[in-house]
């Protein structure tokens, strides 16, 4: 698929052809191993944590912040202490908010990592097998049942009275109805894609 194409805009047949898979047989063990070596494990990438000093310095690397700091220095040199103080206060508040938001984002990613399913039921060589979720690859056919955590983002190929709890992504308090047969012809926001299941959500 190209960057401008999304799985939710493709039919089930188009999706399986693009991914080189068979929804009845799944991938062969050899092909799955080859794709795993090519694409890497199905895991959220861990980014090294930055120290508080690094986070603080990063907040002042933005061009607009540098402009504000320059304006604050000029105001101070001209004796405009109220303006200089106001500009400095804005810069400090912005830096604090940036650090807080970065911390929240890191905690959210860590929470998603903990919510990830350790194993999945994947169709390999025509049989449904227990597969480590980290070993899932593009083209794998995965079965989800009530109570399961979705082990990877995926295009649904079959659904029967399927509802998925997507509160961790969209904030919706009620489960979302899913339908594999739906195909969209125009862009849709993440929460409105009825033919897609997202990693970490609950069946």
């Amino acid at each position: 698929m190209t960057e401008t194409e999304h799985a939710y805009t493709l039919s089930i047949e188009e999706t399986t052809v693009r991914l080189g898979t068979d929804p009845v047989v799944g991938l062969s063990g050899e092909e799955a191993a080859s794709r795993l070596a090519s694409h890497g494990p199905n895991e959220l990438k861990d980014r090294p944590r930055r120290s508080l000093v690094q986070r603080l310095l990063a907040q002042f690397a933005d061009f607009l912040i540098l402009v504000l700091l320059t304006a604050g220095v000029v105001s101070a040199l001209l004796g405009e202490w109220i303006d200089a103080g106001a500009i400095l206060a804005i810069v400090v508040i912005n830096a604090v908010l940036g650090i807080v938001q970065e911390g929240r984002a890191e905690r959210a990613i860590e929470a998603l990592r903990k919510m990830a399913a350790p194993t999945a039921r994947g169709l390999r060589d025509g049989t449904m097998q227990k597969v480590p979720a980290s070993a899932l690859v593009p083209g794998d056919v995965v079965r989800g049942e009530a109570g399961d955590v979705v082990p990877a983002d995926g295009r649904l190929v079959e659904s029967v009275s399927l509802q998925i709890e997507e509160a961790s992504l969209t904030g919706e308090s009620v489960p979302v109805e899913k339908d594999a047969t739906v195909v969209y012809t125009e862009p849709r926001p993440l929460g409105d894609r009825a033919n897609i299941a997202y990693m970490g959500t609950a069946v």
Side-chain angles (χ1 to χ4, degrees):
M1 283 179 265
T2 66
E3 288 182 9
T4 56
E5 292 174 323
H6 299 283
Y8 68 89
T9 65
L10 302 175
S11 68
I12 295 168
E13 293 74 20
E14 288 175 306
T15 304
T16 55
V17 168
R18 298 285 181 93
L19 292 174
T21 190
D22 184 332
V24 176
V25 179
L27 298 174
S28 67
E30 294 79 12
E31 179 62 22
S34 172
R35 293 187 186 193
L36 182 60
S38 173
H39 294 281
N42 171 44
E43 297 173 335
L44 291 171
K45 289 182 180 166
D46 198 10
R47 193 175 68 178
R49 292 192 175 220
R50 298 188 297 179
S51 68
L52 183 59
V53 173
Q54 290 174 318
R55 291 182 191 186
L56 186 60
L57 291 176
Q59 301 305 316
F60 295 101
D62 185 80
F63 176 73
L64 291 176
I65 296 300
L66 293 175
V67 169
L68 279 173
L69 284 172
T70 303
V73 169
V74 170
S75 295
L77 291 174
L78 293 175
E80 301 289 339
W81 300 110
I82 294 176
D83 291 345
I87 292 170
L88 179 62
I90 290 169
V91 170
V92 169
I93 290 170
N94 180 72
V96 170
L97 289 175
I99 291 170
V100 169
Q101 287 177 334
E102 187 175 333
R104 284 182 180 168
E106 285 182 355
R107 287 193 296 276
I109 290 172
E110 188 60 35
L112 284 174
R113 188 177 285 109
K114 287 178 181 175
M115 287 168 52
T119 59
R121 286 183 290 276
L123 188 60
R124 299 265 175 96
D125 296 308
T127 60
M128 196 59 68
Q129 305 172 17
K130 193 176 239 186
V131 179
S134 61
L136 293 175
V137 296
D140 259 325
V141 178
V142 177
R143 175 182 290 163
E145 298 175 356
D148 287 351
V149 174
V150 178
D153 292 352
R155 170 68 164 88
L156 298 172
V157 295
E158 184 179 343
S159 60
V160 179
S161 302
L162 176 62
Q163 294 183 326
I164 296 183
E165 175 65 61
E166 296 182 345
S168 59
L169 294 176
T170 63
E172 287 288 331
S173 59
V174 294
V176 178
E177 296 279 349
K178 296 290 184 175
D179 185 351
T181 61
V182 172
V183 178
Y184 300 102
T185 57
E186 56 189 29
R188 289 288 183 113
L190 182 140
D192 292 343
R193 299 172 189 173
N195 57 12
I196 301 289
Y198 295 102
M199 181 178 182
T201 58
V203 179

